[in-house]
Amino acid sequence: MTGASVNVADDYAMEPGAPYQFDRSYDAMTGYRTNSVVAVPMRDSSDVARGVLQLLNARGPEEGVPGRFGAVDERLAEHFASMATVVLERAQVT
């Protein structure tokens, strides 16, 4: 909604007053356990939101231990979101 990236260490421990929410129904349906999330808006050259690039569950320091996404991960996600948005824009032009 704000156009800012979101980096959440643990969706199940999200602060109640956060301006975003996590829908646990997908985890419940699939048996998956979402921990960390980076969500980056995909905005085109006119600043229109075209989608969201979302990364789930960073690797932790040990097998089976959840990790969290760092600042470098967030910048890489923003970079790939930007590239993907350019591809989407070009695909709509042709």
Side-chain angles (χ1 to χ4, degrees), residues 11-69:
D11 285 334
Y12 286 80
M14 201 178 300
E15 294 184 29
Y20 40 82
Q21 296 178 8
F22 173 65
D23 183 356
R24 295 180 184 182
S25 67
Y26 296 104
D27 280 8
M29 281 189 304
T30 63
Y32 191 75
R33 171 60 161 91
T34 304
N35 291 303
S36 54
V37 173
V38 167
V40 178
M42 297 171 62
R43 295 193 170 276
D44 66 15
S45 57
S46 301
D47 204 33
V48 173
R50 296 291 180 182
V52 174
L53 175 70
Q54 181 174 301
L55 305 178
L56 302 177
N57 292 356
R59 285 188 176 189
E62 299 174 21
E63 184 71 28
V65 177
R68 76 169 290 153
F69 292 103

